[in-house]
Amino acid sequence: VTSAPIERPFGPGTLLTFDCYGTLIDWETGILGGLRGGFPDLTNVADGDLLGAFHDVQNELKTSEYRPYRDLLSEVAAAVAARYEAEGHAEPRRAARVPESVPSWTPFGDTDRGLRRLDEAGVTLGILSNIDNDLLAGTLEHFDVTFSLLGTAQNLRSYKPAAPHFERGREWAGEYDGWIHVAQSLFHDVAPATALGIPVVWVNRKDEPLPEATRPVHVAPDLASAADWLLAS
């Protein structure tokens, strides 16, 4: 599905930025493992309910003053555990299991295949992510390619959907023939980026409906399919 034209051609002079967790990395499996590793009582809570609670708490906490994502994840984990009255929900060491697990979260099965093809096409690859530098460093070891540009919440002192990540991407893009952002989250990436006039490929891994006001340049079911479309455009 193509919803809007890409004004500049895709090719070796293009910058591609990616959201990382949820787009390249299977963060939901990672979150569930981290939460249940710290709070075994949460094994009895359905995946969808646990992830829904995580989303609700995280998005609420991100609106407050910036703090490292490691701290934010611990706060979210503790709040989710408390919501379900899990044993040990007030013990910081249990909540800390979630951020500690981040470097072990793995890519989706299609991620490296798509990234390798894009890298071989000569484009520059970057990441714009709500993450700390040390946690991202562990994640980068899972990929078969090198990301030349890294925009993190730690460096920008901000969390998407706020503008600083996209402003950093726009700064980078001045050195290239074109810029396309690739992301899964409607809330954190697709909606705010399109509102700023940034071409976005939506990796719709969850087969969600497209909001009428949100106009990605293309919708793909996974990263490998997104790469197919980009390389054919």
Side-chain angles (χ1 to χ4, degrees):
V1 177
T2 302
S3 302
I6 299 176
E7 294 182 358
R8 288 182 285 183
F10 179 86
T14 302
L15 168 65
L16 286 181
T17 58
F18 298 83
D19 168 60
C20 187
Y21 302 94
T23 303
L24 306 178
I25 294 290
D26 183 0
W27 80 270
E28 289 190 341
T29 297
I31 285 292
L32 291 171
L35 284 171
R36 289 169 175 155
F39 305 98
D41 287 359
L42 297 179
T43 303
N44 299 320
V45 181
D47 289 358
D49 292 339
L50 199 53
L51 290 170
F54 181 91
H55 278 299
D56 290 345
V57 174
Q58 178 177 246
N59 291 342
E60 179 181 340
L61 289 176
K62 277 183 182 175
T63 63
S64 56
E65 184 178 353
Y66 171 81
R67 64 279 209 199
Y69 194 60
R70 181 183 294 275
D71 297 344
L72 177 61
L73 270 184
S74 292
E75 291 179 47
V76 174
V80 171
R83 179 178 295 190
Y84 288 102
E85 299 182 346
E87 181 180 354
H89 64 79
E91 299 176 22
R93 64 178 181 82
R94 289 176 176 260
R97 290 283 294 274
V98 176
E100 289 169 358
S101 73
V102 171
S104 69
W105 299 356
T106 56
F108 291 101
D110 59 276
T111 293
D112 274 322
R113 184 167 72 255
L115 288 176
R116 283 195 301 269
R117 293 188 63 214
L118 294 167
D119 185 55
E120 289 166 0
V123 301
T124 298
L125 306 178
I127 284 178
L128 294 171
S129 179
N130 288 338
I131 196 67
D132 296 342
N133 295 338
D134 64 328
L135 298 180
L136 180 59
T139 294
L140 293 174
E141 295 182 5
H142 292 287
F143 300 126
D144 293 339
V145 302
T146 298
F147 290 87
S148 302
L149 300 167
L150 303 174
T152 64
Q154 180 176 350
N155 288 345
L156 297 167
R157 312 292 293 181
S158 177
Y159 288 108
K160 296 179 293 182
H165 280 78
F166 304 110
E167 292 170 349
R168 178 59 52 85
R170 202 182 295 280
E171 292 172 7
W172 293 340
E175 303 296 321
Y176 297 89
D177 294 333
W179 170 32
I180 302 169
H181 187 55
V182 183
Q184 180 272 326
S185 175
L186 286 169
F187 176 76
H188 293 98
D189 290 87
V190 180
T194 56
L196 291 168
I198 299 166
V200 181
V201 171
W202 180 26
V203 180
N204 187 10
R205 293 190 178 276
K206 300 182 179 182
D207 195 26
E208 299 174 88
L210 177 65
E212 185 175 345
T214 304
R215 294 180 57 81
V217 297
H218 184 69
V219 181
D222 55 42
L223 192 74
S225 300
D228 288 343
W229 181 82
L230 285 163
L231 292 169
S233 63

